[in-house]
Amino acid sequence: FNPSTKSTYTLASKSAVTLKVYDTIGNEVVSLVNREQEAGSYEINFDASSLTSGVYFYKINAGNFISVKKMLLLK
């Protein structure tokens, strides 16, 4: 992505949600979501214009669900 991207997710039930971005050595770069949310679909915009090009990971926790995905930032 360059320099912003959108992430979407859907909750089946009310859940505590965290969505964080990490660099390749595991440092938290930004916390995009950290709150309880109702069931439904959500879209989060991530503006990475202040970050350097490279690989980043985003991790979403929602109830018992955990997922980690890789992103490549190209400037």
Side-chain angles (χ1 to χ4, degrees):
F1 64 99
N2 180 16
S4 64
T5 188
K6 294 179 184 180
S7 295
T8 60
Y9 59 95
T10 302
L11 302 175
S13 61
K14 185 175 182 179
S15 300
V17 177
T18 60
L19 177 57
K20 297 181 180 186
V21 177
Y22 298 89
D23 62 18
T24 56
I25 59 173
N27 295 319
E28 184 180 316
V29 174
V30 65
S31 178
L32 300 172
V33 178
N34 189 14
R35 63 184 172 272
E36 192 163 307
Q37 294 182 309
E38 298 293 331
S41 296
Y42 296 88
E43 181 176 273
I44 299 296
N45 293 315
F46 174 42
D47 180 8
S49 58
S50 65
L51 300 177
T52 60
S53 294
V55 175
Y56 294 88
F57 297 90
Y58 69 92
K59 179 179 180 181
I60 185 167
N61 292 339
N64 293 326
F65 175 80
I66 299 172
S67 181
V68 178
K69 303 285 184 178
K70 182 169 57 171
M71 301 183 289
L72 179 61
L73 173 61
L74 299 172
K75 288 190 172 183

